[in-house]
Amino acid sequence: MDALDRLAEPGLDLLRRVDTLLAAGAPDGHRVWPLLRRMQVLPGEAVRNFVDLHPAPLAGAGHGVRRLVRGYDEVSATLTDPVLWSGPAASAYGQARTALLHHLDEGPDSLVGRLESTAGYADALAAWVEGSRLALARALADVIRSAEAVAVVAATSVSVGTTGRSTSGTPGGVEAAEIAARVLAVLCVAYDGAETILREWAPSLAESRWRAPAAERTRYDTPTRVGW
C-alpha cells in the first residue's frame, strides 16, 4: 500500500462532492474548463480509475519478458555449433544460419533486441505509474487539508431536519472548481508523461521482420563430409 492507497478513501469522498458541484457548472473563465475539455472526465472518476493502476504488474511483466531471452540464447548457441560439411548445400545452410542468428540476437532489430525493448518499455511504464501515483497522492493530501475542501464539504452536506436536499446550491462551486483544477492538472502532466514514453519507445517496439538470405543460383549437391 502506497500513499495514494492510503489517501484514496478520503480523497475520493471529497472528489465525489466536487463532481456533484461541478455537475451544476463551474465559474465562467475558470482554469478548470480547459482541463475538463482535455480530460473529458470529472476529477472523481479520473482519480478512481488511476487508483486501480499499480506499478507492480508492469514491473513483473518486464521481468517475465527478460526471462524469455534465455531461450533465445540457447537456440543461438545451438546454431553456432560447427558443421563439418562442404559443398553448395553446406554454403547455403551457412547463409541461412547466419541470417537466422542475425534475426534472433544481433542488434536492436533482432528478436532478442525487441524483447529487451519490450521489457524496458514495461519498466518505463512501471516507473511512470509509481511517480504519477506519488504526485497524485501529494495533490490529494494538499486539497484534503485545504480551505476549499471545507467549503465543498459544507456545501454538499445535508442539514438535520431537511428532506435530503443540499443545504446550498451555488456555494462551494468556486472551491470545487479550484480543487478539480489542481487534481486534473496533476493528471494531465501524468498522461503527458505516458504519451512521451510511448513516442520514445514506439520505434523500438516495431515488429522484427524476417529477412531471408539471397537464394543461391546453384544446384544443391549432396553435401560431402570433410575427410571423405
Side-chain angles (χ1 to χ4, degrees):
M1 177 177 288
D2 61 8
L4 184 58
D5 289 325
R6 290 190 291 271
L7 289 168
E9 183 175 353
L12 289 174
D13 178 70
L14 173 62
L15 293 177
R16 177 183 58 80
R17 298 169 184 271
V18 168
D19 289 355
T20 298
L21 293 173
L22 285 180
D28 292 339
H30 196 279
R31 65 189 181 109
V32 75
W33 283 113
L35 295 169
L36 288 171
R37 284 191 289 268
R38 180 182 176 188
M39 297 295 290
Q40 296 291 304
V41 65
L42 291 173
E45 183 179 351
V47 170
R48 188 161 50 250
N49 292 334
F50 208 93
V51 166
D52 294 332
L53 187 61
H54 293 274
L58 291 165
H63 294 315
V65 169
R66 286 192 176 89
R67 285 195 293 269
L68 298 175
V69 173
R70 183 175 180 179
Y72 286 83
D73 289 340
E74 293 174 353
V75 173
S76 297
T78 300
L79 289 172
T80 55
D81 289 341
V83 178
L84 301 179
W85 292 357
S86 65
S91 178
Y93 173 76
Q95 290 183 0
R97 180 173 66 169
T98 299
L100 183 56
L101 281 169
H102 180 78
H103 182 60
L104 286 175
D105 190 11
E106 287 190 17
D109 294 334
S110 67
L111 293 179
V112 169
R114 288 294 190 255
L115 284 174
E116 292 174 344
S117 294
T118 301
Y121 178 57
D123 290 345
L125 286 177
W128 166 76
V129 172
E130 185 175 3
S132 299
R133 286 177 64 88
L134 179 58
L136 183 56
R138 289 170 175 167
L140 285 180
D142 288 341
V143 298
I144 288 172
R145 296 192 298 261
S146 67
E148 289 85 358
V150 175
V152 166
V153 170
T156 54
S157 295
V158 178
S159 298
V160 177
T162 66
T163 59
R165 301 177 65 182
S166 173
T167 58
S168 58
T170 303
V174 174
E175 291 82 0
E178 185 60 28
I179 290 174
R182 291 163 67 177
V183 171
L184 290 178
V186 172
L187 290 174
C188 280
V189 171
Y191 285 112
D192 283 342
E195 292 176 356
T196 299
I197 291 173
L198 180 58
R199 285 195 304 270
E200 290 176 348
W201 283 92
S204 301
L205 301 174
E207 179 183 358
S208 179
R209 296 183 178 275
W210 163 251
R211 292 178 175 81
E216 287 190 349
R217 296 183 180 181
T218 59
R219 181 172 56 87
Y220 292 163
D221 295 329
T222 301
T224 304
R225 289 193 177 278
V226 174
W228 285 13

